[in-house]
Amino acid sequence: MLLKRDLGGTLLLALLGIAILVVPVLNLAVPESSSLHLSTYTVTLLGKYLTYALLAIALDLIWGYCGIMSLGHSAFFALGGYAMGMYLMRAIGPRGVYGDPVLPDFMVFLNWKELPWYWYGFDQFWFAALMVMLAPGLLALVFGWLAFRSRVTGVYLSIITQALTYALMLAFFRNDMGFGGNNGLTDFKTLLGFDVHADSTRAGLFVVSALALALGYVACRAVVSSKLGRVVVAIRDAEDRTRFLGYRVELFKLWVFVLSAVLAGIAGALYVPQVGIINPSEFSPLNSIEVVIWVSVGGRATLYGAVAGAGLVNYAKTYLTGALPEVWLFALGGLFVLVTVFLPRGLVGLFRGRKEPP
Amino acid sequence: MQFEPQRPRKPVRRIDLMTYGFGSASEPAPDASSAPILYIEDITVSFDGFKALDGLSLYVDDGELRCIIGPNGAGKTTMMDVITGKTRPDQGTAFFARSVDLLSLSEPEIAQAGIGRKFQVPTVFEHQSVFENLELALYTNKAVWPSLFARLNGAERDRIEEVLAIIGLTESRYSRAGVLSHGQKQWLEIGMLLMQSPRLLLLDEPVAGMTHEETEHTAELLLSLAGRHTIIVVEHDMEFVRSIGRRVTVLHEGRMLAEGRMQEVQNHPKVIEVYLGA
Ligand SMILES: Nc1ncnc2c1ncn2[C@@H]1O[C@H](COP(=O)(O)OP(=O)(O)OP(=O)(O)O)[C@@H](O)[C@H]1O
Ligand SMILES: [Mg+2]
């Protein structure tokens, strides 16, 4: 019912369904000698793209539909990632280099005697999973409440979101914050008892990422198809009109912003065990800008366009940073300019004919 | 004013107006003898020392159709900003329906209390359909969670259809509001106000940019709504104000200059001096 008249979304979910069935088989069951074999490297790369796609959907929800160009979404992504990283660190247990049963290696190295209070509970997966959503969600709630209540909009809002992620990056770089300083959290061993380096775990993470993307898509589609979604678009297009119709605009913005942050956090949490590290560079404002580029390349306010943009741009990035590393940033900038000027509705706009997104 | 060949009016709209239950357009609105529904006293608004409103008082009766005129910069829009909570005055009091203190409420609270406002520049949700525009305006619980699960019921759909007919946009119900003509957008915005079921409607230049015929229809619509709703219209189009022919308030430099029937106001020497004579 939700997917009625949502061709792009139907296609996306079908592709994800096929990938969930086929990718693990090609990786685990097809022998390496076969040309159909999919290497674990590729599976992990695809899994990483899926988490980026979820992050892109989160941004599209707040930017494409609500008109808030957040340049701070990498902060929510990284916070989700750190929450997962903290679990993975504590799951190492006594297997670390220093063999301390409780303290992660970097704390032993810094001569810390006790676990900081905010690391409590992260030995439990359920607690970490909760924090994956709560930490970005609460930050978005507090930040959004302050910003939306004082009616900060447009460029100013973008700038303060960027300042937010920049400030967090600087904070996480500090060793005394207790998050591993500039090395971040790494050398993970197991996730829920599974070896994080094992092929089967990687395939499992791919499947979970694909499921998360599918669920994230359906959830966002449900939101934007509801009356709440129409209110949000109304706010984007004529904020005052919406307010004078009796809607408390700041609360609607806040709701969508928090949902978007939680989705970004989940994306970050799935990203970390696949890439094997989380460090403060994930907070970098540049990362947030890249997300904006994915969404505008794919096409705003369609959700599946964000997925397409994230996939294509990251594929290009993987290819170019391998083949011509010095060209990548120029290519990215050029792509953004070209899309902005010639394809204001993004790549999916090419296929949608005259039908405009809401 | 320009003369246009008078096309016969579409009979459909007339019938719609009658079935809506506001009576025929030529019928005078019921005489409102009750206490003022809007009570504004001694309101002053200054922007960097410049007084956009300067001790303005205004009383509007329940069911009245009041026209407000005045030269550019007289403070007409600012007055609506004060009533709807957009601008807080430096001093003064503003009450709605006896007990609602407008100066202590936010814009959405004032809207939900029963005051609808049409902006000077017609503002509709361009990327959404005409139907959706009206749905968004519908008077209902407008909190966040109820909006997530809101579904239109039969009565609400009927109400939207009713308003679509009143504003003459039944055939365009699935069109994007962005493709409507300027006049149609004005009508859609008025329709959105009706969906709010407001007791008081504030219309800032509702016929700006309308054709002669559209202007006439608008006058007819407003006359049919008066009585049920209290309406305050700000207009520059004198022909339109005359055709409404109700009580007129003249603002000038943030103060009330004159008030009365169009005929009286027109002959008021001060008004002639600052406005009509110009
Ligand atoms: N936010 C503001 N800041 C500074 N000055 C303002 C502001 N809003 C209005 N003014 C000034 O207050 C005065 C009254 O403006 P207002 O818009 O109420 O006039 P108006 O009667 O609606 O005029 P018009 O017929 O042109 O719409 C004008 O001189 C205007 O420049
Ligand atoms: Mg004005």
Side-chain angles (χ1 to χ4, degrees):
Chain A
M1 188 196 82
L2 255 179
L3 293 174
K4 200 176 67 181
R5 284 185 282 133
D6 181 19
L7 194 63
T10 313
L11 194 67
L12 170 69
L13 293 182
L15 285 175
L16 287 174
I18 293 170
I20 286 171
L21 296 175
V22 171
V23 168
V25 173
L26 294 184
N27 172 239
L28 299 172
V30 175
E32 269 179 54
S33 52
S34 164
S35 60
L36 284 176
H37 176 78
L38 213 56
S39 72
T40 300
Y41 170 78
T42 311
V43 173
T44 302
L45 193 64
L46 291 175
K48 192 176 87 169
Y49 290 173
L50 292 176
T51 64
Y52 284 155
L54 184 56
L55 174 59
I57 285 190
L59 184 75
D60 194 23
L61 187 66
I62 193 71
W63 183 34
Y65 290 90
C66 197
I68 296 170
M69 189 168 94
S70 166
L71 290 178
H73 257 51
S74 56
F76 306 126
F77 183 80
L79 283 177
Y82 265 98
M84 177 58 89
M86 288 162 81
Y87 164 75
L88 292 167
M89 286 309 268
R90 295 210 54 189
I92 296 172
R95 289 169 293 178
V97 175
Y98 299 106
D100 190 297
V102 177
L103 293 191
D105 279 346
F106 75 89
M107 290 187 194
V108 181
F109 183 76
L110 291 172
N111 260 326
W112 290 17
K113 298 289 171 245
E114 270 175 53
L115 197 67
W117 61 267
Y118 47 85
W119 276 76
Y120 292 172
F122 278 94
D123 51 332
Q124 303 292 324
F125 181 78
W126 66 266
F127 181 82
L130 199 66
M131 285 301 143
V132 160
M133 295 184 272
L134 268 184
L138 278 178
L139 177 66
L141 187 72
V142 173
F143 178 86
W145 171 248
L146 295 173
F148 302 145
R149 205 182 47 139
S150 42
R151 299 196 183 171
V152 183
T153 54
V155 184
Y156 301 101
L157 189 59
S158 299
I159 290 171
I160 59 170
T161 55
Q162 181 141 55
L164 170 78
T165 195
Y166 190 66
L168 282 170
M169 179 174 76
L170 296 184
F172 273 73
F173 263 126
R174 296 161 53 97
N175 276 328
D176 50 8
M177 275 285 282
F179 295 106
N182 59 349
N183 294 323
L185 310 176
T186 187
D187 291 332
F188 309 135
K189 301 262 186 292
T190 53
L191 169 60
L192 287 170
F194 299 103
D195 177 3
V196 291
H197 303 290
D199 291 353
S200 55
T201 311
R202 292 298 174 94
L205 283 168
F206 172 87
V207 169
V208 173
S209 303
L211 283 174
L213 179 58
L215 284 177
Y217 182 85
V218 172
C220 290
R221 176 61 61 198
V223 168
V224 300
S225 317
S226 71
K227 185 183 169 203
L228 185 150
R230 292 192 282 282
V231 175
V232 165
V233 170
I235 291 170
R236 178 195 71 188
D237 293 340
E239 181 166 336
D240 265 346
R241 178 69 280 170
T242 317
R243 195 174 278 128
F244 287 111
L245 286 181
Y247 294 99
R248 290 190 63 187
V249 164
E250 67 280 10
L251 296 185
F252 281 83
K253 287 183 175 177
L254 193 61
W255 195 93
V256 179
F257 192 59
V258 169
L259 174 62
S260 175
V262 169
L263 288 173
I266 294 172
L270 290 169
Y271 168 84
V272 167
Q274 302 191 71
V275 298
I277 183 167
I278 172 82
N279 64 31
S281 68
E282 291 298 339
F283 283 105
S284 152
L286 191 64
N287 285 18
S288 295
I289 293 171
E290 276 192 38
V291 188
V292 167
I293 296 178
W294 306 340
V295 176
S296 49
V297 166
R300 264 179 288 164
T302 59
L303 297 176
Y304 53 79
V307 175
L312 285 171
V313 176
N314 280 295
Y315 179 75
K317 181 179 186 176
T318 306
Y319 175 78
L320 278 181
T321 46
L324 305 155
E326 60 288 338
V327 171
W328 164 242
L329 272 182
F330 294 102
L332 187 69
L335 186 66
F336 186 52
V337 172
L338 282 178
V339 166
T340 310
V341 174
F342 296 107
L343 285 177
R345 288 159 59 206
L347 287 173
V348 299
L350 290 174
F351 302 99
R352 288 169 61 95
R354 290 187 56 247
K355 200 172 144 212
E356 280 184 55
Chain B
M1 61 163 281
Q2 72 274 52
F3 285 92
E4 288 182 358
Q6 281 287 308
R7 262 168 284 152
R9 199 165 279 149
K10 282 192 211 128
V12 184
R13 189 168 288 151
R14 263 195 177 283
I15 291 161
D16 287 337
L17 285 177
M18 311 256 232
T19 52
Y20 187 49
F22 292 131
S24 127
S26 50
E27 207 174 76
D31 196 17
S33 49
S34 47
I37 189 168
L38 184 69
Y39 174 99
I40 292 181
E41 207 155 68
D42 197 24
I43 293 280
T44 298
V45 172
S46 36
F47 297 112
D48 307 320
F50 167 78
K51 284 186 175 170
L53 291 182
D54 188 4
L56 176 73
S57 297
L58 181 78
Y59 313 96
V60 180
D61 286 334
D62 203 355
E64 195 183 339
L65 169 50
R66 174 76 63 96
C67 293
I68 297 192
I69 60 173
N72 292 114
K76 306 181 294 294
T77 300
T78 306
M79 182 198 77
M80 292 199 168
D81 287 344
V82 169
I83 298 171
T84 53
K86 190 178 185 191
T87 300
R88 295 285 181 218
D90 305 332
Q91 64 172 65
T93 48
F95 278 89
F96 171 61
R98 282 165 188 267
S99 56
V100 181
D101 179 5
L102 294 173
L103 302 186
S104 69
L105 298 182
S106 68
E107 297 105 315
E109 285 168 333
I110 291 172
Q112 290 294 75
I115 299 184
R117 171 179 190 181
K118 198 201 84 63
F119 293 105
Q120 183 161 351
V121 179
T123 314
V124 295
F125 306 123
E126 308 240 332
H127 288 272
Q128 307 198 50
S129 72
V130 168
F131 188 94
E132 286 167 338
N133 269 267
L134 294 179
E135 182 207 358
L136 283 168
L138 176 77
Y139 180 77
T140 179
N141 186 343
K142 287 178 173 168
V144 179
W145 286 102
S147 298
L148 183 61
F149 302 106
R151 291 275 175 280
L152 286 176
N153 62 32
E156 289 168 343
R157 285 187 176 279
D158 291 348
R159 176 74 183 132
I160 294 177
E161 292 299 332
E162 214 171 18
V163 171
L164 277 171
I166 292 167
I167 59 176
L169 290 175
T170 303
E171 265 131 63
S172 315
R173 60 151 82 73
Y174 298 123
S175 311
R176 276 167 175 270
V179 306
L180 298 180
S181 73
H182 187 83
Q184 285 175 317
K185 282 182 192 168
Q186 299 268 38
W187 277 68
L188 176 56
E189 202 177 356
I190 295 173
M192 288 162 75
L193 298 198
L194 295 180
M195 290 305 303
Q196 283 179 265
S197 306
R199 290 186 66 189
L200 173 63
L201 285 108
L202 307 175
L203 306 175
D204 204 346
E205 308 198 10
V207 301
M210 280 192 180
T211 65
H212 181 64
E213 200 189 345
E214 286 171 329
T215 303
E216 257 183 39
H217 284 318
T218 308
E220 196 180 313
L221 171 66
L222 296 190
L223 286 167
S224 74
L225 293 174
R228 285 291 171 97
H229 306 266
T230 307
I231 305 177
I232 299 178
V233 191
V234 164
E235 239 332 314
H236 282 293
D237 185 331
M238 286 306 145
E239 192 62 33
F240 175 79
V241 173
R242 217 170 276 126
S243 72
I244 287 182
R246 300 296 173 86
R247 211 174 164 74
V248 176
T249 301
V250 187
L251 291 193
H252 179 54
E253 292 177 345
R255 269 172 297 210
M256 190 204 289
L257 199 63
E259 198 169 273
R261 293 239 150 215
M262 187 64 180
Q263 207 61 37
E264 303 157 22
V265 163
Q266 249 176 322
N267 298 326
H268 197 291
K270 276 201 261 172
V271 175
I272 295 172
E273 188 185 317
V274 306
Y275 190 64
L276 296 166

